[in-house]
Amino acid sequence: MASAHSIPSIEERFEFTSEAKRNLLIGGGVGLALVALGAYLAATGGGHEAVAHGAEQAAAAVGHAGAEHGAAGHGAAAAAEGGHHAKSWVARIWANLWVNGVYFTGMSVVGMFFISYNYLAQAGWSTVFKRIPEALPAFLPYMGVVMLLTFIFGGHDLFHWTHEGLYEVGGPEYDKIIAGKRGFLNTPFFIIRLVIYFAVWYWLWRVIRNLSLKEDEIGGTEFYEKSIRFGTAFLVVFGVTSSTSAWDFVMSIDTHWFSTMFGWYTLASWHVAGLAVITLTVVMLRERGYLRAVNSSHLRDLGKFIFAFSIFWTYVWFAQFLLIYYANLPEETIYFIERFRGHGGFYKAPFFITLFLNFFFPFLVLMTRDAKYTHSILKVACWSVIIGHYMDFYTNIMPGTVGAGAELGALEWGFFLIFLCAFAYSIASQLEKANLIPRNHPMLEESLHHDIA
């Protein structure tokens, strides 16, 4: 392991070998096979019993509620709606595309978020591995296309507010609350916002990426100072769009429900998952002989980031939950009741697994000082966070999209594997395009001598 007093060469070029490409393509192929298997099982009734059971549970619950209020007709109608909410296997495919699209979009854009706040703070410690977070946003265009096409072709199955009957005053499906949100939640404006998010995020990343590559060739401080300005601009933009995109992509699925903390909650989830990807990539590159200038102090700081922001995510999660629990307002508590008791109780296990993987496990594993720079421990903690926050978005999105029709089977893990392999392929392709260590960065010397006693 390199120390602060023995600096290896900063001339390193990553080679994306044919073997690595083949392994990622094989992984994607396995994911595709799992998706095909899962779709076949779902289409031929493999998950029919679970769906039917969930529909019966929903019907019984709302029927009982209707009886309590002396509204048998309303209860019966609600029961029928609960049965209808156990949607088809096609909706399950759209929902899985949306879950992975949202999740991998977040991890991609967090790479830009990380380098931007490091530019604003004029931080030097992260310079030696700056290329890793810099590579993440290259995946944004692919996620933008996936999410746009998913919304265009499957949005009607995923978003209740896209149903025109909700806005017909006097009609059987008219919903006064949703109709009141039509100025914001309408298809043209939603698509415009989605395109703006990806276009602005990607454009600002391209500017900073180009400045970084020019700095590598020419040197000086001009490109660094421009990067600070564009990084600051991104933070201002992302400060707004991280929340509005969370409202659009996730919160609007449960159209009646809202939380003023949801933007922060989603950003915290994206951020710590992105940090886990950055850390895992650094560790894996070091194990393959790259990034020799990264020392134990760099790794320890990355470990601290994951440790701290796992706690921050839990703080936001618990603050949101506690306020809703304490106020006990039906229009707010329904969100958690649906995940605890709704749909035959299917979501209860993923809900608590999410808490374990995202807080208890990384908190306990990364608590000691030495654990934060030990490769094996960091890899386990990073994978826990990456899988855990996938589960987080799963439990946020699936109840409102497919309800009792959800499963955690071959279809779900197949899609996750496809997106994961594609993400890794994109990162590796970007790393190959430039020197792994930014040789002319003004803060490089400070980073090379980064040493925490």
Side-chain angles (χ1 to χ4, degrees), residues 129-453:
F129 61 86
K130 174 178 172 284
R131 291 286 186 239
I132 286 82
E134 196 176 272
L136 268 56
F139 201 50
L140 282 172
Y142 305 103
M143 292 301 91
V145 170
V146 167
M147 293 188 67
L148 181 61
L149 294 178
T150 301
F151 180 77
I152 290 171
F153 294 106
H156 192 73
D157 288 326
L158 302 179
F159 294 92
H160 185 55
W161 55 264
T162 59
H163 297 204
E164 286 299 322
L166 298 169
Y167 308 101
E168 297 174 2
V169 179
E173 295 181 41
Y174 177 69
D175 189 310
K176 184 178 180 180
I177 294 175
I178 297 177
K181 300 181 179 184
R182 194 176 193 180
F184 186 79
L185 291 179
N186 61 79
T187 297
F189 192 26
F190 185 94
I191 291 175
I192 290 170
R193 291 196 303 274
L194 189 152
V195 171
I196 288 174
Y197 296 147
F198 283 93
V200 174
W201 293 343
Y202 184 73
W203 175 72
L204 285 169
W205 171 73
R206 284 303 322 173
V207 171
I208 284 190
R209 172 70 167 174
N210 289 336
L211 289 171
S212 178
L213 296 179
K214 288 178 182 177
E215 178 185 77
D216 230 28
E217 299 303 320
I218 301 171
T221 59
E222 177 189 357
F223 302 111
Y224 176 72
E225 290 166 357
K226 286 183 179 179
S227 296
I228 292 175
R229 290 196 290 271
F230 279 100
T232 304
F234 173 81
L235 292 175
V236 173
V237 169
F238 195 58
V240 176
T241 55
S242 61
S243 287
T244 56
S245 61
W247 304 340
D248 287 337
F249 299 162
V250 185
M251 196 169 73
S252 72
I253 289 170
D254 296 277
T255 318
H256 281 190
W257 184 82
F258 66 91
S259 167
T260 55
M261 300 182 69
F262 200 81
W264 281 103
Y265 169 74
T266 303
L267 175 59
S269 190
W270 275 347
H271 187 215
V272 73
L275 289 172
V277 170
I278 293 168
T279 305
L280 184 63
T281 306
V282 170
V283 169
M284 293 177 71
L285 286 172
R286 292 188 83 247
E287 289 181 339
R288 285 156 179 77
Y290 298 105
L291 294 178
R292 294 183 299 274
V294 171
N295 59 44
S296 60
S297 293
H298 295 110
L299 291 176
R300 192 180 295 119
D301 282 347
L302 284 169
K304 288 175 186 175
F305 260 67
I306 296 173
F307 180 76
F309 282 99
S310 292
I311 296 171
F312 177 72
W313 172 85
T314 310
Y315 158 73
V316 179
W317 181 95
F318 185 70
Q320 178 177 262
F321 174 81
L322 184 64
L323 289 172
I324 291 172
Y325 174 83
Y326 187 79
N328 199 27
L329 300 174
E331 63 269 25
E332 294 179 350
T333 57
I334 185 63
Y335 186 83
F336 290 103
I337 289 173
E338 188 176 17
R339 285 150 181 80
F340 285 159
R341 299 203 299 263
H343 311 298
F346 171 78
Y347 294 100
K348 192 171 186 178
F351 187 88
F352 287 105
I353 290 171
T354 296
L355 277 178
F356 175 77
L357 292 177
N358 293 334
F359 173 62
F360 292 106
F361 187 77
F363 179 78
L364 295 172
V365 165
L366 294 175
M367 185 177 289
T368 64
R369 182 178 185 271
D370 291 350
K372 294 181 181 70
Y373 66 81
T374 303
H375 280 195
S376 57
I377 295 177
L378 279 175
K379 286 193 291 186
V380 170
C382 288
W383 278 115
S384 174
V385 168
I386 291 168
I387 294 172
H389 282 280
Y390 165 77
M391 297 287 286
D392 183 28
F393 281 95
Y394 180 91
T395 55
N396 284 337
I397 292 172
M398 284 296 188
T401 53
V402 295
E407 294 183 26
L408 266 173
L411 190 66
E412 285 69 28
W413 294 115
F415 270 118
F416 180 69
L417 186 57
I418 290 171
F419 277 77
L420 187 66
C421 289
F423 190 33
Y425 200 102
S426 173
I427 293 171
S429 298
Q430 286 298 311
L431 292 178
E432 196 175 32
K433 294 178 180 179
N435 197 57
L436 266 183
I437 298 175
R439 59 172 75 89
N440 287 320
H441 195 286
M443 295 291 186
L444 178 59
E445 194 66 22
E446 178 183 334
S447 187
L448 291 172
H449 292 87
H450 182 57
D451 187 22
I452 301 174

